[in-house]
Every structure is written in structure tokens, then in C-alpha cells.
Amino acid sequence: MSAPEINDYVGFDTITQQMERKFLKRGFNLNVILVGESGMGKSTLVNSIFSTHLVDSQGRRTAQE
């Protein structure tokens, strides 16, 4: 068996770039918990961070909620 060919520098100082490439190549799961009162903008924050519409908000039903 021959050793695999390495085209990029591999070392400790590039570990974050190596991990990023690996995760982007094969995909990854991200779990987030965001806690706060109703109407504080949690859904808006999540949608803004990911630049897409990920979370539907029911919004407040009454002023007392």
C-alpha cells in the first residue's frame, strides 16, 4: 500500500482550517438552545445568524403573554 498523497500543509497550526474543511465537506449537525421571554426576538436572532428563515414564530397572542 502506498501512502495517500497530501496536497496541503498538514500541521498543528492549521488544525482549525483542516477541521473546517472536513466538516463542510461531510456536513454537520448544530444544536442550539435559545431561552428568553416571548417577544424578545429569539426567532429573529436565529434567522439573522443563518441568513435564512429557519424558525417560525407564533408571536404573542395577547398583551399579557
Side-chain angles (χ1 to χ4, degrees), residues 2 5 9 11 14 16-17 28-29 33-34 36 40 42 44 52-54 57-59:
S2 63
E5 185 177 321
Y9 174 76
T14 61
T16 55
Q17 289 91 1
F28 57 94
N29 291 327
I33 184 169
L34 193 59
M40 297 301 292
K42 297 176 298 292
T44 302
T52 188
H53 186 80
L54 295 176
S57 174
Q58 300 298 319

Side-chain angles (χ1 to χ4, degrees), residues 22-36:
K22 183 172 86 171
F23 289 142
L24 291 175
K25 191 176 198 178
R26 68 175 181 170
F28 57 94
N29 291 327
L30 177 66
N31 296 316
V32 176
I33 184 169
L34 193 59
V35 180

